[in-house]
Amino acid sequence: MTDADRHFHEQWLGMAQPSEGLVVSLPVLVDAQCVEKLPREAHVRFLVELVEDGETQRIASLPGVLEHVLELAAERFDERDAIQKEVSLYVPEGKQQLRPTRALKWNKPPEAAPGAADATPASVAARPYAMLVWEVPPEVTDLDEPETVTGTWEYPAQAKMERLLRECRVPIGLLTNGWELRLVYAPHGESSGWVAFRVADMASVSGRPIFDAFVMLLGRQRWFGVAPERQLPAILVESRKRNADVTNELSRQVFEALEVLLAGFAAADERDGSDLLRAALEREDAHLYAGLLAVLLRLVFVLYCEDRALLPVEDELFEAHYSLLGLFDELEADQGKYPDTMHRRFGAYPRLVSLFRAVFLGVKHGKLEIPPRRGGLFDPNTYPFLEGWGPEGSAPINAAEARASVRVPSVDDGTVFTVLHKLVYLNGQRLSYKALDVEQIGSVYEALMGFDVQRLATGAVRIRLGSKKGSARVWVEAERLLAVPKNQRQRWLQDELGFDKNVAAKIASAVAGANDAEAALTALEPLSGRRPERAAAGTLAIQPGPERRRTSSHYTPRELTEPIVKRTLDPLIKAIGEEPPSETLLNLVICDPAMGSGAFLVAACRYLADHVVAAWTREGKLEKIADAHEDVVNHARRLVAQRCLYGVDKNQYAVQLARLSLWLVTMARNEPFTFVDHALRHGDSLVGLSFDQLKAFHWKPERQVELSATLLKEALDEAIGIRQQIQELAGEGTPAAQREKEKLLFDAEDAIDRVRLIGDLVVGAFFAEPKEKARQRERDRRLDLVAQWLLADKSGEGDKASDL
């Protein structure tokens, strides 16, 4: 395939972005040699089938387009009453019969499985049709808005089409209202996606690439005129498979961007004469790595929001001064014109800082308005070294003099451009974040969990941890390795650096004859790859920490989370009744005790929200709710997220990502990132105490005398009451309601502050000693201190919690 052909795919994919989910991917189109060179007459035949309607054009005759443009003659379809009953679906919650207007017949049943995970050759051959076509009236002007034109079920035509395709096990559909044609892909048990071919665009001269792509994908040739592996069903399946590759490749490039950013900050630190990185590195909480990772996650998040118009990308002021994609385009132009000066220019990073602050604090200037999003990820006080502040407490951060003296780190434009390039381009192609699922954004973070920044004490060579191509790479310091006895080196490499058994054996064997560090480095270089990577002593490097070596982390794709959630929650919904009330559904409690970045909670949010919308339809509430809220489905998701979903994770950064994931899946434009802070918590769900254990100050409460039960009960009752008020504010999107929720959460946390401290002391006593008698002594010691503290507080002598 030529560069011109590749450019054609880049062009039309950019002009016809899907709203959610992947349909076709550029590499698959390239591999399938999927290019259609259409003569002008084909476009003329398309224009003949259109009619003027108001200020634009729509299709007057869909059969004419199918036959004269796509070359799919009428005899290739079953229509209306001739369509087999297997592809008709009654939706009980909406009391509507879903039925396609025509269905494309197989030329012959396919020999291979061109469908979803359940597509065995037998099941595919049993499918009656290759594609279902649903032509809805032009009065359905918006396919994504709830409608009752096609039937009594007040739901979007797009969602109805997806339901029909999934339930009937025909994953490919064509949906049209005359104004646009949508290629819909909804395999059973997997996420759906669609590509819109807007008629007005295809009718224009500038829209010819979209028209050509429409015929290329849906024309007779792509169904029946090429080998099975190059037909449309195979292209869609292969594109979905490649989606996982996109996630892995993006994670790899984000890690590379992280290393580029570290080098850029190190150079800026030396250039500025500051000591910010040293201070950040000396902190015990992986502060330096976490801060750099926060920058990358902020960038990925903003790119996703800009692609989905969750930020005001159409505002001229935002586009000129805040847009991340706008900044990248400017840097890309500068790189082309002045490549030799990119590392001597310093305007891009301060603009990033301004963008991050705008997201956190909000902006209101003229027509531009960005609500304050808050949240830990964008908080400028969490990682002060990113903005030029010294270590926490070294200067009064709110003092005017201190603010005036701050210099943003001089991270150069070349570094920022390289970082953004690794996020915007994937395998040389522009990446569409709009085509990624929310879960994939979280997966990028999960792939980077458990690493830390370390300063190499000696010279080192970087080697891949495992034999697989995608394995992480780790720096091996020669002197540290030689200091380990020869017969223990393989085990040390496995335990301390995380190498797999085979690679560890090769490393140990390679340095067996080395007598000094230089000889060891030379011996290790062949294991580093075609271009050996060496680092000198004192280099800052990203290395896997103990948690990474011990547990690793894995991305759970949507095609796994959604079937598991459905299988888990279906019995719960059925137990409520045939037609569960919406309020009962919104009072369900679903908890993920090890949520990671929230993949299962996101799937649960989608699943339960669909049932809530169905209940509103049955109850006759949908029209009233639609009048008050822009999008009924997203409103339902926001209510579910705030009232029904709970989660815990030991990794505080995963908790931040889970909160952002739910914000994204609910499209909560007017909500801060903190809108589910009350429900998604940082902690260890396997370690905790019951109320009886707290009262007894013991993990075996039956053996102990209760401790200040009244105090603890009052504190818990107060916190529960406050949390009920937070629940009652769910769905209230006004700024006043948001501020009230944040205040209430603070009050709830304050109410149980002492309870939490007492619980921590009990748990700490249990884990402080390995034997029961020693644990008991430590517990008794702590009990005495707590009793003195509570007595002093009751007598008004002050809070002595700091003495515990």
Side-chain angles (χ1 to χ4, degrees):
M1 181 167 284
T2 66
D3 290 341
D5 294 336
R6 183 181 293 273
H7 175 70
F8 162 70
H9 289 307
E10 292 174 349
Q11 188 178 23
W12 82 261
L13 283 169
M15 298 171 73
Q17 290 290 355
S19 70
E20 184 173 336
L22 181 75
V23 180
V24 292
S25 69
L26 190 148
V28 174
L29 294 173
V30 170
D31 291 347
Q33 299 178 354
C34 195
V35 177
E36 192 80 19
K37 302 294 186 182
L38 296 176
R40 182 177 178 276
E41 289 75 14
H43 194 240
V44 172
R45 289 196 297 270
F46 174 69
L47 296 177
V48 168
E49 305 298 337
L50 306 184
V51 63
E52 296 287 340
D53 193 336
E55 298 180 356
T56 185
Q57 294 174 297
R58 64 175 175 84
I59 294 173
S61 170
L62 181 62
V65 172
L66 295 175
E67 181 165 1
H68 302 134
V69 179
L70 299 181
E71 298 181 347
L72 295 172
E75 58 266 22
R76 291 190 178 274
F77 293 91
D78 281 343
E79 297 185 19
R80 307 209 178 266
D81 293 341
I83 297 174
Q84 297 183 30
K85 294 181 179 180
E86 288 86 341
V87 294
S88 178
L89 175 69
Y90 179 71
V91 182
E93 64 264 33
K95 296 180 173 58
Q96 179 178 348
Q97 188 81 25
L98 298 179
R99 189 174 180 83
T101 49
R102 49 183 51 82
L104 180 64
K105 295 181 287 188
W106 292 111
N107 202 17
K108 62 177 181 177
E111 299 176 358
D118 65 339
T120 62
S123 66
V124 173
R127 289 177 184 163
Y129 298 110
M131 178 177 70
L132 303 183
V133 181
W134 191 26
E135 186 178 2
V136 302
E139 290 78 15
V140 184
T141 56
D142 191 332
L143 297 174
D144 298 308
E145 287 294 319
E147 53 83 17
T148 54
V149 177
T150 63
T152 56
W153 187 23
E154 192 165 356
Y155 217 53
Q158 172 66 33
K160 293 179 182 181
M161 182 64 165
E162 291 175 8
R163 177 78 170 267
L164 178 67
L165 296 175
R166 282 202 190 93
E167 296 296 329
C168 297
R169 308 296 176 96
V170 179
I172 304 173
L174 181 65
L175 173 66
T176 181
N177 58 358
W179 308 98
E180 66 176 284
L181 299 111
R182 289 187 178 183
L183 169 60
V184 183
Y185 188 52
H188 182 78
E190 297 185 24
S191 60
S192 60
W194 52 264
V195 174
F197 299 95
R198 288 170 287 274
V199 171
D201 292 341
M202 291 194 290
S204 67
V205 175
S206 60
R208 279 295 300 273
I210 303 178
F211 172 75
D212 290 349
F214 171 66
V215 178
M216 170 194 72
L217 289 175
L218 289 161
R220 179 191 57 79
Q221 184 76 2
R222 193 55 53 190
W223 286 105
F224 309 114
V226 293
E229 64 272 12
R230 293 170 55 192
Q231 291 176 2
L232 181 62
I235 289 173
L236 298 180
V237 170
E238 187 62 24
S239 294
R240 189 58 62 94
K241 289 179 181 178
R242 296 276 186 99
N243 206 22
D245 296 339
V246 167
T247 303
N248 295 333
E249 184 63 20
L250 179 59
S251 297
R252 183 187 66 80
Q253 291 193 183
V254 170
F255 188 84
E256 292 176 353
L258 202 58
E259 294 183 311
V260 172
L261 191 63
L262 173 60
F265 265 93
D269 203 52
E270 183 177 349
R271 185 164 43 242
D272 299 340
S274 66
D275 214 12
L276 298 179
L277 289 197
R278 182 193 60 78
L281 187 62
E282 290 177 353
R283 290 182 50 157
E284 297 180 354
D285 55 354
H287 188 73
L288 177 55
Y289 180 76
L292 297 175
L293 180 57
V295 173
L296 267 297
L297 292 176
R298 292 173 184 178
L299 296 175
V300 170
F301 179 81
V302 171
L303 287 170
Y304 187 89
C305 287
E306 286 195 23
D307 252 8
R308 293 196 167 226
L310 293 172
L311 288 169
V313 290
E314 295 182 359
D315 185 273
E316 293 181 3
L317 184 60
F318 181 88
E319 184 180 13
H321 300 287
Y322 290 103
S323 170
L324 199 54
L325 288 171
L327 173 61
F328 175 73
D329 289 341
E330 292 177 25
L331 291 174
E332 192 172 37
D334 289 346
Q335 172 69 19
K337 294 177 181 178
Y338 320 108
D340 297 334
T341 65
M342 292 295 286
H343 290 285
R344 298 196 296 274
R345 303 166 66 159
F346 307 98
Y349 184 71
R351 181 162 159 179
L352 292 184
V353 172
S354 298
L355 171 62
F356 298 156
R357 286 213 163 206
V359 172
F360 182 78
L361 297 170
V363 171
K364 191 170 184 179
H365 183 83
K367 295 181 180 179
L368 174 62
E369 184 169 357
I370 303 174
R373 298 301 186 187
R374 318 298 292 176
L377 180 60
F378 284 87
D379 190 341
N381 296 303
T382 304
Y383 306 105
F385 76 90
L386 296 177
E387 302 201 9
W389 294 100
E392 187 176 351
S394 63
I397 197 165
N398 293 318
E401 298 83 359
R403 290 200 302 270
S405 64
V406 168
R407 290 179 57 197
V408 175
S410 62
V411 179
D412 62 84
D413 288 5
T415 294
V416 176
F417 171 70
T418 303
V419 167
L420 289 178
H421 192 277
K422 289 185 177 295
L423 303 183
V424 173
Y425 279 89
L426 205 64
N427 294 322
Q429 307 301 322
R430 191 98 176 213
L431 176 64
S432 169
Y433 282 83
K434 195 175 184 180
L436 298 180
D437 286 328
V438 170
E439 293 89 334
Q440 291 176 279
I441 301 301
S443 77
V444 172
Y445 168 75
E446 290 184 359
L448 303 176
M449 285 172 57
F451 290 89
D452 195 6
V453 175
Q454 299 175 12
R455 193 178 296 278
L456 299 178
T458 65
V461 172
R462 191 150 74 157
I463 301 174
R464 199 182 301 278
L465 282 173
S467 55
K468 292 183 179 180
K469 184 178 179 181
S471 301
R473 300 170 70 86
V474 174
W475 293 98
V476 179
E477 296 180 77
E479 290 187 18
R480 286 187 66 197
L481 180 58
L482 293 180
V484 178
K486 288 185 178 181
N487 62 347
Q488 299 176 23
R489 287 175 184 169
Q490 180 176 337
R491 174 56 57 185
W492 182 85
L493 287 164
Q494 292 176 246
D495 295 343
E496 292 298 317
L497 296 181
F499 285 100
D500 71 23
K501 183 178 179 180
N502 293 333
V503 177
K506 290 179 180 179
I507 295 173
S509 176
V511 300
N515 296 318
D516 55 44
E518 182 58 35
L521 291 172
T522 303
L524 290 174
E525 281 187 345
L527 300 178
S528 183
R530 293 181 180 179
R531 298 179 180 177
E533 295 181 80
R534 267 208 195 197
T539 301
L540 289 174
I542 297 175
Q543 294 278 77
E547 180 184 356
R548 183 77 188 182
R549 298 195 299 269
R550 184 173 61 252
T551 63
S552 189
S553 180
H554 302 282
Y555 158 53
T556 309
R558 185 171 173 178
E559 55 263 30
L560 290 181
T561 59
E562 292 198 339
I564 290 172
V565 164
K566 186 178 188 304
R567 185 179 181 87
T568 303
L569 297 185
D570 263 354
L572 179 63
I573 302 297
K574 291 178 181 177
I576 299 173
E578 286 296 322
E579 297 185 349
S582 58
E583 196 57 32
T584 302
L585 293 169
L586 288 170
N587 283 327
L588 292 175
V589 175
I590 300 166
C591 180
D592 186 344
M595 64 183 172
S597 62
F600 283 98
L601 290 178
V602 166
C605 184
R606 293 192 186 103
Y607 170 90
L608 195 53
D610 285 346
H611 280 274
V612 170
V613 173
W616 286 340
T617 303
R618 292 191 300 268
E619 296 161 359
K621 298 178 180 178
L622 202 63
E623 184 175 351
K624 183 178 179 181
I625 293 172
D627 289 340
H629 300 279
E630 180 182 336
D631 188 305
V632 173
V633 174
N634 283 331
H635 176 61
R637 289 180 180 181
R638 285 191 284 274
L639 287 177
V640 168
Q642 295 176 83
R643 293 181 56 174
C644 306
L645 303 182
Y646 294 83
V648 184
D649 202 273
K650 291 175 65 175
N651 188 296
Q652 61 179 321
Y653 310 114
V655 176
Q656 289 182 8
L657 260 293
R659 292 168 177 168
L660 290 177
S661 294
L662 282 177
W663 187 89
L664 289 170
V665 79
T666 60
M667 304 284 277
R669 290 180 176 86
N670 298 319
E671 299 276 4
F673 298 150
T674 57
F675 85 123
V676 288
D677 278 12
H678 65 285
L680 306 186
R681 310 296 293 169
H682 172 224
D684 190 336
S685 60
L686 298 179
V687 177
L689 300 172
S690 68
F691 184 58
D692 288 338
Q693 289 171 315
L694 284 169
K695 289 189 297 183
F697 199 81
H698 204 289
W699 46 91
K700 295 180 179 179
E702 69 277 3
R703 295 168 48 188
Q704 305 300 323
V705 178
E706 292 188 353
L707 167 73
S708 248
T710 302
L711 181 149
L712 297 176
K713 187 175 185 307
E714 288 177 352
L716 289 172
D717 287 345
E718 181 184 357
I720 290 171
I722 295 172
R723 282 184 160 270
Q724 287 174 342
Q725 294 180 54
I726 294 175
Q727 290 286 77
E728 292 168 2
L729 287 171
E732 296 288 338
T734 65
Q738 294 165 8
R739 290 192 295 270
E740 180 65 14
K741 285 167 64 177
E742 290 184 9
K743 176 182 176 295
L744 288 172
L745 181 57
F746 177 84
D747 291 343
E749 294 295 296
D750 183 63
I752 61 169
D753 190 50
R754 296 181 182 183
V755 179
R756 182 180 289 110
L757 175 59
I758 290 172
D760 288 345
L761 289 169
V762 179
V763 172
F766 180 87
F767 286 107
E769 300 291 343
K771 296 184 178 180
E772 184 62 26
K773 288 186 178 180
R775 286 174 177 169
Q776 185 64 42
R777 286 194 299 271
E778 178 61 20
R779 176 262 175 193
D780 292 343
R781 184 186 73 82
R782 296 185 180 205
L783 175 60
D784 290 339
L785 290 174
V786 170
Q788 295 173 31
W789 165 50
L790 293 176
L791 182 62
D793 183 58
K794 186 176 182 180
S795 64
E797 295 182 11
D799 191 342
K800 300 183 181 300
S802 59
D803 297 334
L804 296 176

